[in-house]
């Protein structure tokens, strides 16, 4: 075992207090029985990809939803599992570290021991590389003692995020067979859970007895769909960042002479930037999704910021705070095209110092226009998912540089008569990633760990643990599991001359919904945020008292609870079947037929691939 993993932490007084907090469990997870009700078979959210997904995942596609029920629930078809033989389960951190990850391990361990004290939990050391190398640590309550409700992934560690190649998949299968594992729980985001689905399919195909379970843990908040309302870590990240942003807002208001450009983590989607804006009310946020939808160029974005600076100067305000998601750089059309050329040359083995000379004329012109520091960052090798190294590209410095140049130009031309522009840049990411998890993330992660056991006890493979109705108290949370394949989509990628290539089925990062209630709320307040300095400081992360039970604004304003609605629909259909039986009156039959004809006609239109309906 690597000596750095699993060693007791030296805890501060606050950490000790947090380690004593016992997360809550919903009623459906309490007790020593597992009560599961299976719904109908699932399908793909996008009907156009259903055939491709079912062909790629013949053993795990189309499995039913699973709802875990409390003992008193009226569910005559529910299976009650009372026999719990001792099992061996492995758990691995595959995604980037996210506050609350340790509580998934804790919840799984507690569930294993409650149902059979002889069960064993093995943690793989060093993420997916530890899984492949079969390096394990038996997780016990003593080992976990100083990691409960703590941030980081240092109990087990993590490395690169993928278990994807044939060699990696075969090595993972060998590890599970050699260690005699009944279950493998994979903690991570879209990439990790896509790999979990592939592992589950391969294991089923080769009749490996190990069941694979995914858990949605990612600070980016982009593993979001009809089954998954939010991810472990997102709540904490946004609260910690919002406090830092608010502190900067207060500083800006105090000195009244600086514009702060703050870039936030979140990968391709802008969920973190949107949530932090709604919590702390900075003057401006530029979402990657807005830029992509409107095809805004670098010049357009620069002009938008400069116009805002000039409008504020008209009110004698020479300060402000502007938020930028790290995925913004890839959403700017001409920069994205430049990155595609660079990455293509890198894949061909062209050395970094020769790339600029091999770019197309237009790409070369843009490359030479950019400041030297950005050029170096654009030349970095792409990530495992072929995206740019977003955390290393200082978009905030680029925009501050361009805005300053444009404001100086306007000042010289006389079109701007205010004070000189001063920009200060920050990148908030790693500061929040290792934070103590919020009360919500402690509870959510612990509950997901318990659900992981329930999934294994029900004999399910290729499922992700889900909790819906999360904006309500824990005792009202709905716990269940959904096949990972039901969350997959198939993307078409252009490859020049109008050609398109069909991508592999995968979980893809969910973008901010520009028609969703959260975005509408942002737009309703955008002018007020820009001009009126209505900065809001939520303060430090709260564990008790006011603010301890607050949840993400984006979670609370959206109307979700998909699993609950599926259950309600099933109940209505059952009622229709019980009322409209052979022998019922003509009037009842006619009314049912009329209503059902209308409903099926509407649903057929809404669910067609060309209707443009969103998956959630």
């Amino acid at each position: 075992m690597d000596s750095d993993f699993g060693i007791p932490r030296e805890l501060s007084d606050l950490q000790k207090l947090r380690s004593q907090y016992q997360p809550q469990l919903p009623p459906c997870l309490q007790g020593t029985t597992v009560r599961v009700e299976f719904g109908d078979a699932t399908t793909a959210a996008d009907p156009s990809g259903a055939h491709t997904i079912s062909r790629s995942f013949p053993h795990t596609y189309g499995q039913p939803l699973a709802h875990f029920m409390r003992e008193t629930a009226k569910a005559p078809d529910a299976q009650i599992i009372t026999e719990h033989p001792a099992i061996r389960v492995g758990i691995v951190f595959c995604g980037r570290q996210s506050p609350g990850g340790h509580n998934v391990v804790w919840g799984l361990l507690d569930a294993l021991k409650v149902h059979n004290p002889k069960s064993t939990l093995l943690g793989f050391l060093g993420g997916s590389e530890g899984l492949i190398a079969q390096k394990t640590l038996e997780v016990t309550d003593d080992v976990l003692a100083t990691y409960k409700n703590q941030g980081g992934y240092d109990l087990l560690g993590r490395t690169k995020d993928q278990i994807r190649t044939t060699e990696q998949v075969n090595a993972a299968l060998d590890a599970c067979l050699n260690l005699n594992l009944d279950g493998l729980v994979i903690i991570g985001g879209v990439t990790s859970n896509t790999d979990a689905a592939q592992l589950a399919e391969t294991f089923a195909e080769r009749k490996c007895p190990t069941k694979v379970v995914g858990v949605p843990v990612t600070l980016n908040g982009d593993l979001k769909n009809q089954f998954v309302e939010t991810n472990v870590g997102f709540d904490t990240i946004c609260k910690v960042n919002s406090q830092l942003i608010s502190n900067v807002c207060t500083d800006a208001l105090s000195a009244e002479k600086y514009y702060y450009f703050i870039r936030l983590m979140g990968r391709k989607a802008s969920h973190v930037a949107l949530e932090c804006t709604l919590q702390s009310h900075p003057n401006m946020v530029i979402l990657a999704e807005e830029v992509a939808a409107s095809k805004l160029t670098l010049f357009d974005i620069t002009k938008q910021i400069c116009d805002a600076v000039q409008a504020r100067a008209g009110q004698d305000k020479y300060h402000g705070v502007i938020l930028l998601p790290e995925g913004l750089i890839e959403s700017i059309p001409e920069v994205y095209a430049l990155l595609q050329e660079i990455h293509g040359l890198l894949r061909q083995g062209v050395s970094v110092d020769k790339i600029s000379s091999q770019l197309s004329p237009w790409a070369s012109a843009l490359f030479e226009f950019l400041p030297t520091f950005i050029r170096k960052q654009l030349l970095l090798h792409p990530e495992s998912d072929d995206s740019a190294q977003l955390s290393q590209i200082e978009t905030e410095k680029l925009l501050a540089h361009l805005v300053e140049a444009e404001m100086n130009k306007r000042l010289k031309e006389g079109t701007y008569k205010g004070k000189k522009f001063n920009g200060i840049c920050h990148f908030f990411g790693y500061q929040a990633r290792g934070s103590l998890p919020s009360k919500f993330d402690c509870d959510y992660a612990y509950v997901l760990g318990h659900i992981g056991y329930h999934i294994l006890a029900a004999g399910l493979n290729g499922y992700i643990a889900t909790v819906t109705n999360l904006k309500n108290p824990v005792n009202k949370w709905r716990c269940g599991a959904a096949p990972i394949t039901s969350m997959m989509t198939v993307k078409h990628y252009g490859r020049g001359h109008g050609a398109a290539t069909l991508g592999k089925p995968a979980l893809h990062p969910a973008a901010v919904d520009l028609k969703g209630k959260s975005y509408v709320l942002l737009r309703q307040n955008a002018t007020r945020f820009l001009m009126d300095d209505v900065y809001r400081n939520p303060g430090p992360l709260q564990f008790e008292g006011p603010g301890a039970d607050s949840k993400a604004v984006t979670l609370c304003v959206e109307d979700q609870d998909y699993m609950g609605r599926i259950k309600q629909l099933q109940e209505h259909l059952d009622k229709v079947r019980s009322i409209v039986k052979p022998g019922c009156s003509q009037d009842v039959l006619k009314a049912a037929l009329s209503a059902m004809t209308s409903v099926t006609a509407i649903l057929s239109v809404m669910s067609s691939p060309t209707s443009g309906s969103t998956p959630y």
Side-chain angles (χ1 to χ4, degrees):
M1 178 187 118
D2 289 6
S3 59
D4 287 344
F5 295 126
I7 59 173
R9 289 177 165 187
E10 181 178 342
L11 303 183
S12 68
D13 289 342
L14 177 61
Q15 285 179 298
K16 288 175 186 175
L17 184 65
R18 290 308 297 152
S19 69
Q20 294 164 16
Y21 171 70
Q22 179 61 50
Q24 302 175 61
L25 276 180
C28 61
L29 300 180
Q30 296 173 9
T32 55
T33 62
V34 172
R35 202 160 185 263
V36 58
E37 182 185 36
F38 293 106
D40 293 329
T42 54
T43 185
D46 180 2
S48 65
H51 177 68
T52 304
I53 300 168
S54 63
R55 193 174 53 191
S56 301
F57 295 87
H59 298 87
T60 51
Y61 179 77
Q63 298 187 96
L65 288 182
H67 304 271
F68 297 109
M69 319 290 292
R70 66 174 80 192
E71 284 189 53
T72 56
K74 294 179 181 178
D77 296 332
Q79 294 183 21
I80 301 173
I81 303 167
T82 54
E83 294 295 319
H84 297 275
I87 60 174
R88 290 169 61 82
V89 180
I91 191 165
V92 57
F93 290 122
C94 282
R96 289 171 173 80
Q97 49 266 43
S98 193
H102 286 143
N103 275 31
V104 178
V105 182
W106 182 19
L108 178 58
L109 178 68
D110 275 6
L112 282 166
K113 295 301 184 181
V114 160
H115 291 90
N116 192 319
K118 294 181 181 178
S119 290
T120 303
L121 179 60
L122 297 177
F124 286 100
L125 300 175
S128 55
E129 288 185 1
L131 169 64
I132 289 164
Q134 301 182 32
K135 294 168 64 176
T136 64
L137 163 69
E138 182 174 350
V139 180
T140 64
D141 204 55
D142 287 342
V143 168
L144 262 176
T146 58
Y147 293 88
K148 296 175 178 178
N149 304 313
Q150 309 297 311
Y153 277 7
D154 49 325
L155 169 67
L156 302 173
R158 61 157 287 260
T159 47
K160 58 187 176 185
D161 298 324
Q162 67 177 45
I163 315 169
R164 192 172 310 151
T165 66
T166 302
E167 293 76 15
Q168 289 168 338
V169 170
N170 288 338
L173 187 144
D174 289 341
C176 292
L177 288 174
N178 293 340
L179 293 167
N180 196 27
L181 295 184
D182 298 284
L184 175 65
V185 176
I186 292 178
I187 293 173
V190 289
T191 302
S192 305
N193 279 284
T194 297
D195 292 346
Q198 187 58 64
L199 273 186
E201 178 65 26
T202 304
F203 285 15
E205 181 187 349
R206 299 192 193 174
K207 296 182 169 52
C208 172
T210 309
K211 310 297 184 188
V212 181
V213 175
V215 183
V217 181
T218 168
L219 63 89
N220 304 324
D222 58 1
L223 203 181
K224 195 173 179 183
N225 52 55
Q226 61 270 47
F227 303 108
V228 181
E229 293 183 1
T230 190
N231 310 139
V232 172
F234 180 75
D235 185 77
T236 304
I237 287 288
C238 292
K239 284 175 177 170
V240 173
N241 276 333
S242 292
Q243 189 214 351
L244 294 174
I245 293 163
S246 300
N247 292 350
V248 170
C249 289
T250 302
D251 188 78
L253 197 57
S254 301
E256 294 190 314
K257 61 179 180 179
Y258 300 117
Y259 270 89
Y260 293 89
F261 290 72
I262 302 174
R263 177 167 51 102
L264 298 168
M265 270 189 173
R267 303 298 297 158
K268 294 183 180 182
S270 306
H271 298 290
V272 174
L274 173 59
E275 176 63 33
C276 289
T277 301
L278 294 175
Q279 286 196 29
S280 57
H281 303 178
N283 298 102
M284 197 173 185
V285 61
I286 298 175
L287 303 181
E289 291 83 354
E290 290 178 313
V291 172
S294 301
K295 295 182 171 55
L296 299 180
T297 65
L298 202 52
F299 173 78
D300 293 331
I301 296 168
T302 303
K303 182 177 183 300
Q304 194 176 97
I305 297 172
C306 289
D307 289 347
V309 170
Q310 192 155 341
R312 285 177 59 77
Q315 291 190 8
D316 203 27
K317 293 179 179 178
Y318 297 98
H319 61 277
V321 178
I322 301 165
L323 300 192
L324 310 166
E326 64 178 357
L328 177 64
I329 194 75
E330 277 197 330
S331 298
I332 303 168
E334 71 272 27
V335 179
Y336 178 72
L338 171 61
L339 281 166
Q340 290 294 94
E341 277 201 33
I342 291 171
H343 293 168
L345 292 169
L346 287 171
R347 278 191 291 269
Q348 292 169 27
V350 179
S351 62
V352 168
D353 57 340
K354 293 182 179 177
I355 281 183
S356 61
S357 64
Q358 297 197 32
L359 292 169
S360 64
W362 74 265
S364 179
L366 174 60
F367 190 74
E368 293 303 319
F369 163 76
L370 295 170
T372 305
F373 69 91
I374 284 289
R375 286 187 226 162
K376 290 179 181 177
Q377 293 161 5
L378 295 181
L379 292 173
L380 294 170
H381 280 264
E383 302 272 19
S384 60
D385 63 354
D386 289 331
S387 65
Q389 290 195 38
L390 299 176
S391 63
Q392 303 302 315
I393 300 176
E394 297 173 306
T395 316
E396 72 283 11
K397 288 188 179 179
L398 171 62
L399 285 174
H401 170 84
L402 295 175
V403 169
E404 182 174 13
E406 173 63 18
M407 293 311 297
N408 286 342
K409 178 171 169 281
R410 293 185 184 189
L411 196 61
K412 189 175 180 181
E413 292 172 346
T415 54
Y416 168 64
K417 296 180 168 51
K419 295 179 182 177
K420 190 177 186 305
F421 175 85
N422 291 300
I424 296 177
C425 298
H426 294 285
F427 172 45
F428 291 164
Y430 302 101
Q431 301 93 324
R433 205 163 77 170
S435 170
L436 285 170
S438 65
K439 185 171 177 287
F440 173 82
D441 276 330
C442 288
D443 289 340
Y444 184 32
Y446 183 76
V447 167
L448 287 171
H450 269 263
I451 294 172
Y453 172 78
H454 278 58
I455 293 171
L456 295 174
L460 304 177
N461 178 42
Y463 278 70
I464 198 167
T466 67
V467 184
T468 59
N469 209 29
L470 281 168
K471 63 184 179 184
N472 287 303
V474 176
N475 63 358
K476 295 188 184 304
W477 288 1
R478 300 180 194 273
C479 301
I484 303 174
T485 53
S486 67
M487 307 173 190
M488 287 183 162
T489 51
V490 181
K491 288 198 172 182
H492 294 261
Y493 297 93
R495 286 292 183 270
H497 305 296
T501 301
L502 198 65
K504 290 182 178 179
L507 295 181
H508 291 101
V512 167
D513 182 3
L514 298 184
K515 295 180 181 177
K517 292 183 179 179
S518 301
Y519 182 72
V520 169
L521 181 62
L522 172 67
R523 296 320 313 159
Q524 287 171 345
N525 288 281
T527 303
R528 191 167 65 98
F529 289 176
L530 177 62
M531 301 306 297
D532 296 346
D533 294 349
V534 287
Y535 304 141
R536 177 180 180 272
N537 196 329
L541 200 59
Q542 300 295 302
F543 301 116
E544 294 179 0
D549 293 312
S550 67
K551 295 173 183 177
V553 177
T554 48
L555 176 67
C556 294
V557 301
E558 295 295 344
D559 191 17
Q560 295 175 307
D561 193 21
Y562 185 87
M563 296 285 268
R565 290 200 177 109
I566 284 284
K567 197 82 179 59
Q568 284 181 329
L569 175 62
Q570 192 61 55
E571 289 168 1
H572 284 302
L573 293 173
D574 290 341
K575 283 181 183 177
V576 170
R577 286 193 191 98
S578 67
I579 294 169
V580 188
K581 289 182 177 178
C584 68
S585 72
Q586 279 277 16
D587 289 343
V588 168
L589 183 59
K590 285 179 181 176
L593 273 174
S594 176
M596 287 299 179
T597 301
S598 299
V599 168
T600 51
I602 293 168
L603 295 180
S604 295
V605 172
M606 291 181 68
S607 60
S608 68
T610 56
S611 68
S613 59
T614 54
Y616 63 96

